[in-house]
Amino acid sequence: MQQPSGSGAGKAPEDDDGGGRKGSVDDDATSGNPYAGLVSRLRAAWLSGKTRPMEYRVAQLEALGRFLDEKKQEILEATKLDMGKPSFEAEFSEIILCKNELHETLNNLSRWMKDEHVGKNSVTRWDSAFIRKDPYGVVLIIAPWNYPVNLLLGPLVGAIAAGNCVIIKPSEMTKNTERLVAEALPRYLDKDCFAVVTAGVQETTRLLENKFDYIFFTGSPSVGRIIMTAAAKHLTPVTLELGGKNPCYVSDTCDVQNVARRVAWGRFFNAGQTCIAPDYVLCSLEMQEKLLLALSKTVADFYGSSPQKSPDFGRIAGEKHFQRLQDLLCSGQVVIGGETDEKERYIAPTVLADVHPSDPIMQEEIFGPILPIVPVANMDEAIDFINSRERPLVVYAFSSNDKVVNQVLERTSSGGFCGNDTLMHVTLTSLPFGGIGSSGLGMYHGKFTFDTFSHHRACLHRYMGRETFNTLRYPPYTQQKLGMVRAASEVKRKGACTLL
């Protein structure tokens, strides 16, 4: 693998990059783009057919598994340095969930790769009709900083499984994890077909000028629009995994302490820097009073009397992000937490009560350990509130009454839904993960990742004989021929018949 040289691009080592070559990318003589040579080299490797055999894909996936096993401790240390991420949270979210994706793929790849034979009509009964799962070609994966390993390697598993060549760009915000990936991963994967690019905003802009066959981006909606605009110039398909304000409705009939634990875990996991975290709670004033007491007890149970000293609570990733979150604390009334420490980039697990829809904290995704509670009169008002805003990445609903949970599910629209818990839907490789509207485009996880990075190619292989049957569609045309062609080829509705 090669890393581009140039300002902000980074930390390409002077010595061998693990693939037997120096870590730099030469400017293409014709385009002047610093990444054109790299993209061309990977495209040549893909066109050679090297990535297509199942044995090759399995070998690369197994090598990725060895990376996760052998570099586990270094991953835990890097995420600790970058974000103060507790080792429990890092191992669960960055390693275990990644390995689940990997094992699910290895267990099923031979079946996923097989041609999918489909139904035929009378005209094609002797032929072969099937869907071939072709790789797209050279794909680009751009990962965010909040889960810098999971959200990079998760898509990579599917891209490799589908037979693509891949350029991956880790986030420059999590410097230690970026360095680890850039220096270590090339020693595990085939340098001819996979590359790591370390790049800042300017370099990534140049990278996006190149023609890719697919782009997979995880990040903010504002950057997602930039990615989509760049992709449109080459008519490149994209998956955009974005964010949003995920509502959490809590009905008056529920186990309040259970709700508090599950909501607090989802909100404060990774110090709230999770795209699927519950972004705000909708509940009645009566429930708000009960929930505040339960949340106060839960925070103390989770993190002790001084969460800043707890080894189980992380830190904000960057200074700019910290300042933005600190400014949002002016919304509503701070009932739990609210303490900050700029030097440590620490913001306490915080709950805000009596928040108004017009407050600053309700205008953008929070992406931090702050939970606002917005009072509503009832479930109908909560659903109206959710539907008046952009469609979120996930909707949460808590109630001891299944009918209430189902009502929220049926009357709202979101990328995903989870009843009576938070975050846990993302742990299932059997469920697709993705947004809708401003929260994203496309989906992945498990087989859905393989499908995302595969072109479903429609194939019909016809039998060369029985030409007599084909003469019905050749000129000169007659009404009798049309009637026979119609009878042989049309799809009939059940219970209907066709008259010649």
Side-chain angles (χ1 to χ4, degrees):
M1 288 182 200
Q2 294 176 299
Q3 303 170 49
S5 58
S7 62
K11 301 165 250 333
E14 295 286 333
D15 57 349
D16 190 278
D17 71 338
R21 302 171 67 173
K22 297 292 183 181
S24 64
V25 172
D26 297 326
D27 281 11
D28 183 86
T30 55
S31 72
N33 187 287
Y35 304 99
L38 174 62
V39 175
S40 296
R41 179 168 65 79
L42 265 64
R43 190 171 303 284
W46 179 73
L47 289 171
S48 75
K50 186 176 186 180
T51 62
R52 286 182 176 266
M54 187 183 75
E55 294 76 14
Y56 177 86
R57 305 181 196 191
V58 168
Q60 296 303 302
L61 290 170
E62 288 177 339
L64 193 58
R66 289 194 296 275
F67 168 78
L68 287 169
D69 287 336
E70 294 171 11
K71 299 299 178 182
K72 171 183 168 181
Q73 193 57 41
E74 292 178 52
I75 290 170
L76 298 181
E77 291 170 1
T79 54
K80 181 75 173 178
L81 288 170
D82 286 329
M83 302 174 63
K85 190 171 290 196
S87 60
F88 180 102
E89 293 185 0
E91 184 165 351
F92 175 62
S93 62
E94 306 283 14
I95 296 174
I96 293 175
L97 293 185
C98 263
K99 293 191 72 174
N100 286 351
E101 292 288 331
L102 186 64
H103 294 161
E104 174 77 6
T105 301
L106 286 168
N107 289 342
N108 295 283
L109 184 57
S110 60
R111 179 169 56 87
W112 295 348
M113 286 180 62
K114 286 181 180 177
D115 291 340
E116 182 181 335
H117 290 270
V118 298
K120 296 171 287 186
N121 55 25
S122 298
V123 175
T124 57
R125 69 172 65 180
W126 296 284
D127 307 323
S128 178
F130 57 93
I131 299 169
R132 170 68 53 87
K133 284 63 175 286
D134 273 353
Y136 272 103
V138 180
V139 306
L140 172 64
I141 297 173
I142 301 176
W145 51 263
N146 57 325
Y147 292 94
V149 174
N150 183 333
L151 299 181
L152 184 73
L153 300 192
L156 179 61
V157 168
I160 293 173
N164 298 283
C165 288
V166 190
I167 292 177
I168 58 174
K169 196 208 86 65
S171 173
E172 70 276 18
M173 274 191 63
T174 43
K175 295 294 184 185
N176 295 283
T177 309
E178 178 195 44
R179 185 182 303 113
L180 172 62
V181 170
E183 293 178 358
L185 192 58
R187 301 189 179 101
Y188 290 84
L189 299 179
D190 181 356
K191 71 180 188 303
D192 291 334
C193 301
F194 307 101
V196 178
V197 165
T198 55
V201 174
Q202 291 182 345
E203 294 78 27
T204 303
T205 301
R206 298 303 308 277
L207 179 63
L208 286 166
E209 292 172 2
N210 293 277
K211 175 178 171 51
F212 291 95
D213 300 299
Y214 204 96
I215 298 175
F216 189 106
F217 169 78
T218 305
S220 68
S222 59
V223 180
R225 292 184 180 92
I226 296 171
I227 300 294
M228 202 166 186
T229 300
K233 294 178 181 178
H234 300 290
L235 297 179
T236 299
V238 298
T239 289
L240 302 176
E241 294 295 342
L242 311 177
K245 296 189 71 63
N246 306 311
C248 177
Y249 172 64
V250 179
S251 78
D252 286 338
T253 55
C254 62
D255 185 318
V256 180
Q257 194 58 57
N258 282 353
V259 173
R261 280 192 290 263
R262 297 179 189 191
V263 170
W265 180 73
R267 176 71 271 182
F268 303 133
F269 189 94
N270 201 34
Q273 298 163 115
T274 305
C275 62
I276 55 169
D279 201 84
Y280 60 94
V281 168
L282 296 168
C283 65
S284 67
L285 285 171
E286 180 183 359
M287 175 51 64
Q288 174 180 269
E289 185 176 346
K290 296 176 183 177
L291 195 56
L292 286 172
L293 291 173
L295 284 168
S296 180
K297 181 180 184 304
T298 296
V299 170
D301 290 344
F302 283 5
Y303 309 112
S305 58
S306 178
Q308 189 169 3
K309 297 177 182 177
S310 171
D312 301 320
F313 187 72
R315 297 297 184 264
I316 305 306
E319 181 62 30
K320 183 178 178 181
H321 188 36
F322 172 87
Q323 293 294 343
R324 183 186 65 84
L325 288 168
Q326 195 171 42
D327 292 342
L328 292 178
L329 291 173
C330 65
S331 300
Q333 176 189 357
V334 176
V335 180
I336 300 169
E339 300 84 10
T340 66
D341 185 330
E342 185 174 358
K343 184 179 179 181
E344 283 193 24
R345 299 197 308 274
Y346 165 79
I347 293 181
T350 299
V351 179
L352 306 176
D354 298 324
V355 174
H356 297 288
S358 59
D359 287 340
I361 202 164
M362 294 301 295
Q363 309 313 310
E364 59 183 89
E365 185 179 6
I366 297 169
F367 228 66
I370 307 170
L371 180 67
I373 300 179
V374 180
V376 291
N378 50 43
M379 180 191 69
D380 290 333
E381 187 175 316
I383 291 173
D384 289 343
F385 185 89
I386 294 168
N387 290 337
S388 69
R389 295 177 160 242
E390 294 283 0
R391 288 184 282 187
L393 191 54
V394 58
V395 166
Y396 296 109
F398 285 85
S399 180
S400 300
N401 186 340
D402 288 346
K403 291 182 179 179
V404 172
V405 174
N406 288 330
Q407 277 284 299
V408 178
L409 170 60
E410 291 173 9
R411 294 169 59 188
T412 60
S413 176
S414 60
F417 177 86
C418 186
N420 289 334
D421 209 341
T422 61
L423 308 191
M424 290 303 293
H425 62 294
V426 81
T427 66
L428 296 178
T429 57
S430 54
L431 286 176
F433 178 81
I436 183 173
S438 65
S439 63
L441 174 69
M443 57 188 176
Y444 74 120
H445 284 189
K447 185 176 184 295
F448 301 100
T449 318
F450 175 84
D451 288 339
T452 285
F453 286 105
S454 300
H455 168 58
H456 286 56
R457 190 177 184 185
C459 302
L460 176 64
H461 187 177
R462 298 220 65 196
Y463 175 60
M464 278 296 291
R466 303 182 188 274
E467 187 63 9
T468 302
F469 291 97
N470 288 320
T471 59
L472 295 174
R473 60 187 167 96
Y474 298 152
Y477 300 131
T478 66
Q479 282 300 118
Q480 184 182 19
K481 282 186 176 181
L482 179 61
M484 296 176 73
V485 168
R486 181 191 301 121
S489 62
E490 73 178 353
V491 176
K492 300 174 184 177
R493 185 174 177 181
K494 289 183 178 180
C497 62
T498 301
L499 298 176
L500 295 180

